[in-house]
């Protein structure tokens, strides 16, 4: 059975509108920070329930600029899970800050508020900011994290790169903390045809600072008020994102219904299924199961041409660029270590058919039944 690749299938589903949008931008007078970026910022803000949106070059830049815009500076400590895309951590170092790895909760696989206490003690209460990652589209424990940060005057940044349209207690993820960072990398729930990202906030002051930072620190044209970067959202990408935004809720609903089909088909197997905490809406960017027989199951599915993957094969603290360089406390990261050894991402995106999910379920059932004989 052939599994369609997501970015291409998503383009084909929006082809007429996207082709028209690309022609419109090419033939326009404004190729940088023009009407498409402005319109997308407004429309994505409305989608997020009235947040301010500033388009930037990619999701990694969005995290870096959110940290800088919130006042995180050179040498300050920023807590972050190790079980995440490397980008979450790379952005902290790009902002000049120092990552502090914190373990995740076993159920949601997102930042564990109890583990934050350990980091707080170990650092003598010097953590300046927390980057929480809504990994796979699952909301982190925002109730406890917001309270924890508020009590200590710690800045809370949401890495919502996998959580477009997901919610916690009715609030869109990315709009709850001091700032939210989105990526529109082609594989994301809302994906461009190239790199793109955005910084989101409810407060009025931050967007202004991000607008300066994203373009050479300009306050007025050719006059830099602060040291900035070049990280602008592209007009072409903004126009493409506008074509897809209207269908995002329906695409997420489709992901959820396919996820429910997986859950139903796999419920009686010795597999840990994704967990959506009560009061949250999961975006199912990925459908990640856990099993002690991960390696064998992975090979079994690959032999049957089922595209599975590990997100991610190593905790960031085990990646060669970071290992030994960034402290993990004596307690280590036991939940992260166990999770990384057991995770497997099954195929899931809105352009899959029910038959694809049924085929994957059948193959997984065959794997576990064979082994039991
Ligand atoms: C994709 C992703 C990023 C980085 O986004 P880019 O646009 O590739 O820079 C950051 N964090 C998480 C959790 C991601 O999945």
């Amino acid at each position: 059975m052939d599994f369609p690749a997501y970015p291409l299938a998503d383009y084909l589903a929006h082809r007429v509108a996207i082709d028209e949008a690309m022609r419109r931008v090419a033939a326009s007078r404004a190729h940088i920070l023009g009407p498409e970026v402005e319109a997308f910022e407004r429309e994505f803000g409305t989608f997020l329930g009235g947040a301010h949106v500033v388009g930037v070059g990619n999701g990694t830049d969005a995290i870096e600029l959110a940290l800088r815009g919130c006042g995180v500076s050179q040498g300050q400590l920023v807590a972050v899970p190790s079980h995440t895309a490397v980008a979450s951590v790379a952005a902290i170092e790009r902002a000049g800050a120092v990552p502090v790895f914190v373990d995740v909760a076993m159920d949601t696989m997102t930042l564990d508020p109890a583990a934050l206490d350990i980091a707080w003690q170990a650092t003598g209460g010097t953590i300046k900011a927390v980057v929480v990652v809504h990994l796979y589209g699952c909301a982190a424990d925002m109730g406890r994290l917001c309270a924890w940060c508020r009590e200590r005057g710690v800045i809370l940044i949401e890495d919502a790169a996998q959580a477009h349209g997901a919610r916690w207690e009715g609030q869109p993820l990315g709009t709850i903390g001091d700032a939210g960072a989105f990526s529109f990398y082609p594989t994301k729930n809302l994906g461009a045809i190239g790199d793109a990202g955005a910084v989101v906030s409810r407060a009025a002051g931050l967007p202004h600072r991000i607008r300066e930072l994203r373009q050479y620190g300009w306050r007025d044209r050719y006059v830099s008020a602060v040291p900035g970067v070049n990280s602008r959202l592209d007009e072409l990408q903004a126009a493409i994102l506008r074509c897809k935004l209207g269908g995002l809720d329906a695409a997420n609903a489709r992901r959820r219904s396919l996820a429910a089909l997986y859950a139903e088909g796999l419920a009686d197997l010795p597999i840990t299924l994704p967990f959506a905490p009560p009061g949250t809406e999961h975006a199912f960017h990925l459908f990640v199961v856990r099993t002690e027989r991960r390696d064998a199951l992975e090979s079994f599915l690959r032999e049957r041409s089922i595209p599975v993957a590990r997100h991610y094969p190593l905790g960031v603290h085990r990646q060669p660029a970071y290992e030994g360089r960034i402290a993990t406390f004596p307690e280590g990261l036991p939940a992260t270590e166990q999770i990384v050894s057991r995770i497997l991402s099954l195929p899931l995106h809105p352009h899959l058919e029910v038959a694809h999910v049924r085929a994957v379920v059948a193959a997984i059932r065959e794997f576990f039944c064979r082994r039991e004989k």
Side-chain angles (χ1 to χ4, degrees):
M1 179 171 254
D2 191 36
F3 285 78
Y6 168 69
L8 176 58
D10 212 40
Y11 164 62
L12 295 176
H14 297 90
R15 184 176 209 158
V16 174
I18 289 176
D19 288 356
E20 201 294 306
M22 291 196 291
R23 266 198 300 274
R24 185 172 74 230
V25 172
S28 77
R29 289 160 187 274
H31 290 166
I32 296 288
L33 296 185
E36 299 290 341
V37 170
E38 269 177 39
F40 174 70
E41 289 179 343
R42 208 167 44 240
E43 289 160 10
F44 193 50
T46 301
F47 174 83
L48 294 173
H52 302 283
V53 173
V54 182
V56 298
N58 57 69
T60 312
D61 285 359
I63 301 168
E64 176 196 338
L65 298 185
L67 286 164
R68 289 182 59 188
C70 286
V72 173
S73 57
Q74 207 67 32
Q76 292 183 325
L77 303 185
V78 178
V80 64
S82 172
H83 181 49
T84 182
V86 166
S88 315
V89 182
I92 294 170
E93 292 202 315
R94 278 295 301 263
V98 178
V100 173
F101 288 128
V102 174
D103 214 356
V104 292
M106 282 303 283
D107 54 359
T108 62
M109 297 186 269
T110 64
L111 201 74
D112 180 3
L116 261 182
D117 283 329
I118 298 174
W120 185 257
Q121 299 298 330
T123 59
T126 55
I127 291 170
K128 175 77 177 175
V130 171
V131 172
V132 59
V133 184
H134 303 300
L135 199 69
Y136 310 144
C138 176
D141 187 349
M142 293 307 284
R144 281 172 73 195
L145 291 171
C146 287
W148 192 95
C149 288
R150 202 180 321 111
E151 281 160 20
R152 293 164 182 79
V154 170
I155 295 157
L156 181 57
I157 309 286
E158 297 177 76
D159 178 346
Q162 302 191 358
H164 317 69
R167 287 167 189 272
W168 174 85
E169 306 263 315
Q171 299 176 67
L173 298 186
T175 68
I176 302 167
D178 294 289
F182 284 89
S183 164
F184 308 112
Y185 184 84
T187 60
K188 309 292 187 185
N189 289 37
L190 180 60
I193 304 183
D195 279 310
V199 178
V200 167
S201 89
R202 291 217 170 272
L206 183 65
H208 171 74
R209 290 195 292 282
I210 303 296
R211 283 178 204 286
E212 288 179 359
L213 289 170
R214 77 172 168 185
Q215 180 158 247
Y216 324 124
W218 281 356
R219 193 156 297 165
D220 301 309
R221 197 170 182 84
Y222 306 128
V223 182
S224 296
V226 291
V229 298
N230 174 3
S231 183
R232 297 172 294 229
L233 174 60
D234 191 272
E235 277 289 286
L236 207 46
Q237 300 306 340
I240 290 163
L241 290 168
R242 292 181 69 203
C243 298
K244 294 186 175 187
L245 181 58
L248 179 53
D249 274 333
N252 282 343
R254 172 73 177 168
R255 286 175 187 268
R256 281 193 286 273
S257 82
L258 295 176
L261 209 58
Y262 269 130
E264 192 188 308
L266 303 173
D268 57 329
L269 298 181
I271 277 187
T272 305
L273 295 167
F275 171 65
T280 69
E281 254 176 80
H282 204 302
F284 285 108
H285 172 60
L286 295 170
F287 191 89
V288 178
V289 299
R290 281 175 278 172
T291 163
E292 286 172 40
R293 298 188 352 224
R294 189 269 310 270
D295 293 5
L297 176 61
E298 182 180 31
S299 312
F300 184 89
L301 295 176
R302 277 192 196 289
E303 279 161 22
R304 282 151 188 78
S305 302
I306 294 172
V308 290
R310 300 177 185 187
H311 296 93
Y312 296 88
L314 295 170
V316 181
H317 71 296
R318 297 280 185 204
Q319 304 265 351
Y322 298 90
E323 185 158 31
R325 194 164 63 74
I326 297 172
T328 54
F329 303 115
E331 293 81 357
L333 303 168
T336 297
E337 307 286 7
Q338 200 211 76
I339 285 168
V340 167
S341 72
R342 295 184 179 178
I343 45 173
L344 190 64
S345 308
L346 305 183
L348 178 67
H349 64 71
H351 308 294
L352 291 186
E353 302 295 337
V354 166
H356 291 111
V357 172
R358 294 229 163 98
V360 179
V361 166
I364 295 173
R365 298 198 67 84
E366 188 191 339
F367 171 81
F368 280 103
C369 293
R370 271 193 185 181
R371 285 290 303 257
E372 273 157 25
K373 278 174 195 156

